[in-house]
Amino acid sequence: MEGFRLFPERASAYAGEVDHLFLFLIGMAVFFVGLITCAIFYFSVRYRRSLGRRSGEEHTSVALEVLWTAVPLATVLFVFVWSARLYFAASTAPGEGMEFLVTGKQWMWKVQHPTGQREINALHVPLGRTILLTMTSEDVIHSFYLPVFRVKRDVLPGQYSRVWFKADRTGTFHLFCAEYCGAKHSAMVGSVVVMEPEAYERWLGGATAGASPVEEGALLFESLRCVSCHAAGSGQRGPDLAGRFGGTAVLDDGRSVPFDESYVRTSILDPRHDLAAGYQPLMPTYAGQVNEIEVLELVAFLKSLAPAEAQEQAR
Ligand code: CUA
């Protein structure tokens, strides 16, 4: 029993909040199991056959019916509101954070830092900063699980999942895949290393730095020849993409969709799916030519293109 712990370690304030909810649920379950067990024993003794006592004719009590409907309902709604708030809190980062890209792949986790460093099955982060993860899968469904921060999100092919955490102590903690994803699912593990900010800076310096996601995206935008149709200016074969991210895209069939990560991804991999209004379906698919990290880099690049108004003001 050496090192046995009832709860995993905690390394964020959020982890404590999740534990409070969990303890409340356990406490409530224990309370009602106890109450019901006692009632069963009490009634089975009090109305036992040998005494010839029967509960007699049926009584109905509206007050009682209302009570045992209303109390569980109120309790369950209370738990629902509490846990839904926590769940949404895990998806919505408070304010600005450092954006990391994560892809799951049979059977490893690939991570890219905001400054371009890449690592596999490891995630080095600084203490006290909000860490935002944008995650997707190259193949099947995985689940990114950091017990010490009490965060777990399914990572699905073809869409982006988001989660954030903010470490409040340094150390090396477990990273798991929490969704059965094939023969080596159990080997799809890694570690998250929380470091003092200065130590993190030093680590970044020592790691083989690549270009940042934005720079990589810009290079891809050139090398894939996206620029030949999506360059600035009118009369191009494809829409100008500068400053579009975060806005809305009007489609050929009249729909309006948010110009977000998913829209960009779909447009790269299946260009005819969400064809922009006023353009011919000329763009070829880039499925097979770019992997999910590269798609995310292109997204990062488009995100970085300042809105046109801001650029004009700068001139
Ligand atoms: Cu990936 Cu289990």
Side-chain angles (χ1 to χ4, degrees):
M1 296 295 271
E2 190 67 24
F4 175 79
R5 306 174 61 98
L6 221 42
F7 277 86
E9 290 175 89
R10 289 179 203 158
S12 68
Y14 180 79
E17 292 174 37
V18 173
D19 287 356
H20 291 155
L21 172 66
F22 191 69
L23 282 170
F24 177 81
L25 288 172
I26 292 197
M28 200 176 66
V30 167
F31 173 76
F32 280 106
V33 164
L35 189 72
I36 291 166
T37 310
C38 290
I40 288 173
F41 275 102
Y42 173 74
F43 288 126
S44 54
V45 170
R46 187 179 155 109
Y47 296 109
R48 64 190 185 277
R49 180 175 293 213
S50 63
L51 290 183
R53 284 208 208 128
R54 314 298 301 200
S55 56
E57 69 274 19
E58 279 179 32
H59 296 283
T60 48
S61 158
V62 174
L64 198 59
E65 293 285 347
V66 169
L67 187 73
W68 67 37
T69 306
V71 169
L73 179 70
T75 320
V76 168
L77 282 179
F78 176 69
V79 170
F80 167 73
V81 171
W82 187 355
S83 48
R85 288 176 61 130
L86 273 181
Y87 186 83
F88 284 114
S91 322
T92 329
E96 289 293 290
M98 298 171 65
E99 285 200 42
F100 286 68
L101 311 180
V102 175
T103 49
K105 183 175 190 283
Q106 286 172 321
W107 288 275
M108 65 182 82
W109 294 107
K110 294 187 189 170
V111 174
Q112 191 172 5
H113 289 248
T115 39
Q117 286 79 357
R118 292 154 192 262
E119 43 185 343
I120 287 179
N121 290 342
L123 172 58
H124 287 74
V125 296
L127 183 73
R129 292 286 304 275
T130 300
I131 309 297
L132 283 154
L133 305 173
T134 300
M135 309 185 289
T136 189
S137 167
E138 299 265 6
D139 38 45
V140 300
I141 300 176
H142 304 277
S143 186
F144 193 85
Y145 181 30
L146 297 171
V148 83
F149 304 117
R150 308 292 190 271
V151 294
K152 176 160 71 179
R153 269 290 183 284
D154 279 5
V155 175
L156 301 106
Q159 53 177 280
Y160 296 118
S161 325
R162 249 172 226 98
V163 82
W164 69 276
F165 64 88
K166 188 171 170 184
D168 60 12
R169 46 180 282 224
T170 57
T172 302
F173 310 108
H174 287 297
L175 154 64
F176 294 118
C177 176
E179 180 69 50
Y180 182 69
C181 56
K184 291 193 192 138
H185 156 70
S186 63
M188 195 167 163
V189 294
S191 46
V192 53
V193 184
V194 181
M195 310 167 100
E196 294 290 347
E198 310 82 67
Y200 175 73
E201 289 304 324
R202 256 178 283 133
W203 180 87
L204 282 183
T208 41
S212 73
V214 173
E215 290 160 356
E216 290 280 6
L219 289 174
L220 282 167
F221 202 75
E222 289 287 334
S223 65
L224 295 168
R225 307 293 309 138
C226 311
V227 67
S228 62
C229 295
H230 291 290
S234 56
Q236 297 290 338
R237 278 172 288 180
D240 177 7
L241 299 176
R244 297 291 308 283
F245 199 93
T248 21
V250 181
L251 305 183
D252 203 35
D253 57 11
R255 281 181 300 143
S256 289
V257 296
F259 197 110
D260 61 4
E261 285 92 344
S262 301
Y263 173 71
V264 174
R265 185 182 180 282
T266 308
S267 301
I268 293 170
L269 301 178
D270 184 9
R272 284 166 202 216
H273 190 272
D274 286 339
L275 187 66
Y279 292 92
Q280 295 298 312
L282 297 172
M283 179 169 159
T285 171
Y286 285 83
Q289 295 190 53
V290 286
N291 63 28
E292 293 291 351
I293 279 279
E294 289 168 332
V295 172
L296 279 169
E297 287 166 347
L298 284 165
V299 167
F301 170 63
L302 292 185
K303 246 188 214 178
S304 77
L305 298 176
E309 305 90 328
Q311 284 182 348
E312 254 148 47
Q313 280 164 9
R315 262 184 224 136

